[in-house]
Amino acid sequence: MTISFPQRLSLAQLPTPFTKLSRISDKYGVNIWIKRDDLTGCALSGNKIRKLEFTLAKARAEGCDALITCGGLQSNHCRATALLGAQLGMEVHLVLRGEQDLSQAKDGNLLLDELAGAHIHCFPVKEFAAKLEELLQQQARQLVAEGKKPWIIPTGASDGLGVWGYLHACRELKADFEKENIQPQAIVCATGSGGTQAGLTLGNYLFDLNTQVVGMAVCDNEAWFQNKVREDIQQWQGKGGVTVDADQMGITVNDQYIGPGYGKAGAEVFDCIKEVASLEGVILDPVYTAKAFYGMLQEIKKGTWIPGDDIVFIHTGGIFGLFPQRDFV
Ligand SMILES: *Cc1c(COP(=O)(O)O)cnc(C)c1O
């Protein structure tokens, strides 16, 4: 399949390592492989960088000099945007959900946002939920009035443009599988705004990876993700000289391991973080990757995957989100 990729800025450290988690594999009886997208950078770690390579190339090509995006107070995506904006010399405005606790020192991603010089605008959860689009437009109007040219990046950089990030990653995965001589039964990732799953699902189909992409939901239910992943793929349609039938691809979402809600994890998730850290020296985060990893282990226990199977876990990053939740560890 020849796909003409759009312009891309080389911002992530690629290709990321692909290795087997041998002690976890021994313990659970299935070959568990890990794609280390937590190593796309240092402070700049995680999955958002892959999407932003395409998003920011477009923003620059359009002559924009400022970026506006949104997310939770501890958003990994906002932190990545803040750091990349600084690196590219673009002013960054973050519209954040929730109010800062001013009695406490800034922590995790929020600390890095601040260090990177991002302009932080916090809104109460209700107001944010009710009028996010308006809040982003308001910010944009303000910047235009100051003579700037802003580019608005949607939540998680998940849209038709962001899909390119994990479509691009699938070329790496194809080479990884060939090198290790494996034919994985599944690729498992945490799914939050859907763009990573959309790119992987599309790449699996277009590059004949012959596997199944399983999105482990961390916030909304299966119906929401089915719709969102399909929407991102539809938006991507026709780009790169390729058209696809999203209904033929099969989108697989597991929403059984969300726990108490977005950003809230139960004791089993923190136990999973400890287990993976102590057996493999790999750090997962309580918001995304540990929920997905825990869900994957539960599915192995249930017999969804069996001895001899190869399962690939995409480590999408998120380490800085662990520190503000240190009290639960
Ligand atoms: C954003 C994020 C995800 C989810 O990716 P989406 O493309 O938004 O679904 C998973 N893991 C981490 C660490 C993230 O920051």
Side-chain angles (χ1 to χ4, degrees), residues 33-102:
W33 300 81
I34 190 164
K35 180 68 171 166
R36 298 292 304 271
D37 279 6
D38 56 322
L39 299 179
T40 49
C42 177
L44 209 54
S45 67
N47 61 340
K48 303 306 182 307
I49 326 296
R50 286 193 187 267
K51 307 188 220 180
L52 290 168
E53 287 195 318
F54 291 95
T55 308
L56 300 184
K58 177 80 174 166
R60 286 241 291 210
E62 299 285 325
C64 293
D65 54 9
L67 301 168
I68 302 169
T69 197
C70 55
L73 285 176
Q74 282 298 331
S75 164
N76 297 306
H77 162 69
C78 288
R79 177 253 310 156
T81 305
L83 292 166
L84 289 173
Q87 186 177 324
L88 298 173
M90 299 170 92
E91 182 172 322
V92 174
H93 288 260
L94 302 176
V95 172
L96 301 183
R97 180 183 60 239
E99 285 154 300
Q100 292 186 56
D101 182 349
L102 297 173

Side-chain angles (χ1 to χ4, degrees), residues 3 5 12 32 45-46 49 68 93 111-112 119 123 157 200 204 238 257 262 303 306:
I3 299 166
F5 278 78
I32 301 173
S45 67
I49 326 296
I68 302 169
H93 288 260
L111 171 65
L112 297 174
H119 300 255
F123 297 92
L200 289 169
N204 177 35
Y257 304 101
Y262 177 74
I306 55 171

Side-chain angles (χ1 to χ4, degrees), residues 47-48 51 76 158 190-196 285 288-289 316-318:
N47 61 340
K48 303 306 182 307
K51 307 188 220 180
N76 297 306
S158 289
T191 189
S193 60
T196 301
D285 79 291
Y288 295 96
T289 52
T316 42

Side-chain angles (χ1 to χ4, degrees), residues 105-122:
K106 288 192 181 61
D107 201 349
N109 287 303
L110 199 52
L111 171 65
L112 297 174
D113 295 343
E114 179 110 342
L115 290 176
H119 300 255
I120 294 168
H121 312 274
C122 291

